[in-house]
Amino acid sequence: AANEALRTAWQHAEARVSAWLAAHSDIAVLPVAHAAVLADPAGAARSIAAFLERPMDTGRMANSVERSLHRQRGMQPDRS
């Protein structure tokens, strides 16, 4: 029950943010998936630097990703 309530709250929040962004087309957004960052930190860092159009130490950014801190690694979501 608690998982379902959290899932519903997340979906509502996500819908509100999506609607707000749709109404503000002048705001650029770079979606970055957590799983993609874990899978390819260097690629994610390059994408962020390119999006921001700023010189950045992408190597240092990529090296700051600590995969071992992903607390739900290997866990399957409760789909009940």
Side-chain angles (χ1 to χ4, degrees):
N3 284 343
E4 187 58 35
L6 181 58
R7 185 177 296 115
T8 299
W10 178 260
Q11 290 170 339
H12 287 187
E14 195 171 33
R16 284 192 309 271
V17 169
S18 293
W20 188 87
L21 286 171
H24 294 84
S25 60
D26 58 316
I27 298 175
V29 176
L30 175 67
V32 179
H34 183 246
V37 173
L38 292 176
D40 183 12
R46 286 190 302 272
S47 293
I48 293 167
F51 175 77
L52 295 175
E53 299 178 337
R54 302 264 187 237
M56 305 179 100
D57 187 344
T58 56
R60 190 169 177 195
M61 290 167 63
N63 288 334
S64 71
V65 175
E66 182 57 59
R67 291 181 180 108
S68 67
L69 295 178
H70 183 52
R71 69 182 177 277
Q72 295 182 6
R73 182 180 36 161
M75 294 178 63
Q76 297 299 317
D78 178 15
R79 299 287 182 194
S80 58

